Amino acid sequence: MQHLIRGRVLDFHADPADSDDNHRYLPDGAILTEGGKIVAVDDYANLARPDLPETDHRPWLILPGFIDPHIHFPQVQVIASWGAQLLDWLNTYTFPEEARFADSDHATRMAGFFLDQLIAHGTTSAAAFCSVHATSAEALFTAAEARDMAMIAGKVMMDRNALPAVQDTPQQGYDDSKRLLEKWHGRGRQRYAITPRFAITSSPEQMEATGALAREYPQCHVQTHMSENLEEIDFTLSLYPRARDYLDVYESHGLLSERLLLGHCIHLREREIMRMAESGSRAVFCPTSNLFLGSGLFDRDGLRKAGVTTAVATDVGGGTSYSMLQTLNEGYKILQLRGQMLHPLQAFHWATRGNAMALGMQDNIGTLAPGSAADLVVLDARATPAMAMRMERAETLSEELFILQIMGDDRSVAQTYVSGRPMKAGRSPASG
């Protein structure tokens, strides 16, 4: 059945950093959906019919749903854990918490909460790390499938330098990942990501098993971490003394490609940047996490100039908010410290089409093109009294977007659509 969703419509067809002709804005627009897909986008007057059911979100702004390309599903109960840098934080908080995900009932409960939090904050797709336990990945995929939500996920592979309760072996990591992959990858909207947590927690033997999986299943993403923290880099190179640099650990096992998602990438060497650009490997910026753990300042412009594709993500639970709006807020500040500017049009492109392109999924998500998924976020820039007062002086779309970026959070998300279905207990426009 067709349905019309009316409002002020915004989407992107180019990166605002590259082109002045980069977006479409319809002050009174509409999105025609059917069967979870977008059929057409146009001015409301061109799509409305007397027999067509519609939902009117005016005066709110409708965009493609946000995409979070780096987030940790088992860390929902360690977000906002005080006082540590990366390695201490993992050992003190994260690994003990992730050990609880061996229990399928616990994993199921957390999966529902996790996805509901994403939806509440306007995020409709994510690339998520599960725990080392196959039960955690099963729980997340099952919950995402029930919501018809596009999810990229994988159980982490880690066989050393962690609590025994969160370790596997090279063979177990390979076997569990392969079994999950063959069950879930391409099933509905689900995709599997081969997930070695990072070089510190994977032995050379496990990295070899990871490389074997990546060769057998080149259609799958590979997600991991790199160069987040100086102590982490030194420890990694002590564990892999033959590696030329951190990236070489992954490169020597055949993991570099356009499907490789490298979280953080703060402290990179020239060779690493060059090889990432040549191979198409993606760098994922995690601003709230980088600030919270004191890791460093991401060099977006430097990577961009070198030809490295970047994405931007929450990294919950080292990250401090499920909100892509707040992620863009902190990203803006980090780039300011770098002497780099993040225009609001660039920011909202990054969180939608830009992240979809980094995932190689721009034909399905991050867009309002006909045939793509009807995943939408409806944003209210007057959601709080302070925002409403500030909006009295806003005169342009860019100003409105920047107010959302700096002052917005889940209260600014009036509704979230997943596959054309409203998923949030939203407000009516009249109450906004």
Side-chain angles (χ1 to χ4, degrees):
M1 180 177 178
Q2 290 191 335
H3 187 84
L4 199 63
I5 302 170
R6 183 180 186 181
R8 297 161 54 230
V9 174
L10 172 66
D11 71 336
F12 297 89
H13 50 262
D15 189 335
D18 295 331
S19 171
D20 291 333
D21 178 17
N22 53 64
H23 70 276
R24 165 178 54 182
Y25 173 60
L26 303 175
D28 186 7
I31 302 166
L32 181 63
T33 70
E34 183 176 20
K37 302 287 188 181
I38 292 173
V39 177
V41 178
D42 204 341
D43 291 324
Y44 173 76
N46 295 332
L47 292 177
R49 303 194 313 263
D51 63 325
L52 187 59
E54 65 178 57
T55 301
D56 189 351
H57 286 298
R58 291 177 301 166
W60 297 335
L61 194 62
I62 306 173
L63 289 86
F66 296 134
I67 300 163
D68 190 344
H70 186 105
I71 187 169
H72 293 264
F73 152 53
Q75 294 179 16
V76 297
Q77 289 186 294
V78 294
I79 189 173
S81 294
W82 180 82
Q85 291 203 333
L86 173 63
L87 298 182
D88 292 332
W89 189 83
L90 289 171
N91 287 305
T92 303
Y93 300 114
T94 302
F95 293 155
E97 184 65 26
E98 293 194 1
R100 301 175 67 205
F101 283 74
D103 182 311
S104 61
D105 289 340
H106 177 71
T108 297
R109 176 180 174 234
M110 291 298 109
F113 176 86
F114 174 75
L115 294 180
D116 289 346
Q117 282 296 298
L118 294 184
I119 288 166
H121 289 82
T123 296
T124 53
S125 299
F129 289 66
C130 301
S131 75
V132 73
H133 314 97
T135 53
S136 70
E138 288 281 1
L140 184 58
F141 280 129
T142 299
E145 183 178 60
R147 291 161 175 78
D148 202 17
M149 197 172 180
M151 186 62 50
I152 302 168
K155 76 150 228 120
V156 296
M157 303 164 70
M158 43 194 294
D159 67 338
R160 64 175 177 179
N161 293 319
L163 295 175
V166 293
Q167 290 188 42
D168 54 15
T169 67
Q171 189 63 50
Q172 182 187 359
Y174 174 91
D175 291 343
D176 285 351
S177 297
K178 185 169 184 174
R179 187 162 48 249
L180 288 162
L181 189 161
E182 292 185 345
K183 177 178 179 180
W184 286 105
H185 186 73
R187 175 169 154 173
R189 303 190 70 193
Q190 309 310 303
R191 298 188 180 204
Y192 197 83
I194 300 162
T195 308
R197 187 185 207 103
F198 66 155
I200 287 172
T201 52
S202 285
S203 66
E205 294 75 18
Q206 185 162 79
M207 292 306 303
E208 290 174 12
T210 301
L213 278 171
R215 288 189 297 273
E216 290 174 55
Y217 301 96
Q219 72 276 22
C220 288
H221 289 86
V222 178
Q223 59 181 355
T224 189
H225 301 80
M226 190 177 79
S227 299
E228 179 177 1
N229 172 287
L230 294 174
E231 183 183 355
E232 167 213 6
I233 296 170
D234 290 343
F235 191 14
T236 297
L237 295 180
S238 74
L239 294 169
Y240 288 89
R242 295 184 180 179
R244 290 170 287 181
D245 45 46
Y246 200 153
L247 183 69
D248 195 38
V249 176
Y250 303 131
E251 183 174 3
S252 63
H253 291 95
L255 299 181
L256 271 58
S257 78
E258 294 180 354
R259 295 284 185 174
L260 177 61
L261 306 173
L262 292 164
H264 305 294
C265 296
I266 300 171
H267 308 285
L268 298 178
R269 301 180 182 181
E270 285 188 21
R271 194 202 77 86
E272 291 174 309
I273 295 171
M274 179 190 70
R275 285 297 296 130
M276 287 178 67
E278 290 173 349
S279 64
S281 302
R282 307 328 201 187
V284 186
F285 178 27
C286 304
T288 72
S289 172
N290 296 161
L291 291 173
F292 180 71
L293 296 174
S295 300
L297 306 178
F298 186 80
D299 183 11
R300 182 198 65 156
D301 287 4
L303 290 172
R304 181 182 177 82
K305 184 177 179 181
V308 176
T309 297
T310 64
V312 61
T314 67
D315 193 28
V316 165
T320 55
S321 175
Y322 292 91
S323 173
M324 288 300 294
L325 296 173
Q326 283 303 297
T327 297
L328 295 174
N329 175 2
E330 300 304 320
Y332 173 85
K333 297 169 187 174
I334 284 178
L335 296 179
Q336 282 279 72
L337 290 170
R338 275 280 192 181
Q340 302 173 14
M341 300 301 295
L342 180 61
H343 189 277
L345 285 171
Q346 293 179 21
F348 280 82
H349 173 269
W350 211 0
T352 56
R353 179 177 178 268
N355 278 346
M357 293 182 71
L359 294 172
M361 297 176 67
Q362 65 271 22
D363 292 338
N364 300 301
I365 58 176
T367 174
L368 300 182
S372 61
D375 293 346
L376 313 170
V377 60
V378 183
L379 297 176
D380 176 11
R382 296 175 177 83
T384 68
M387 294 176 73
M389 182 61 72
R390 173 64 183 89
M391 277 293 292
E392 288 185 11
R393 301 291 292 161
E395 298 179 355
T396 67
L397 175 64
S398 291
E399 285 181 285
E400 180 179 4
L401 291 174
F402 196 58
I403 291 166
L404 283 162
Q405 176 181 340
I406 300 303
M407 301 179 74
D409 53 28
D410 58 311
R411 293 169 294 179
S412 298
V413 178
Q415 187 53 268
T416 304
Y417 288 84
V418 174
S419 296
R421 292 186 297 131
M423 300 292 285
K424 182 174 179 177
R427 313 185 310 274
S428 68
S431 68

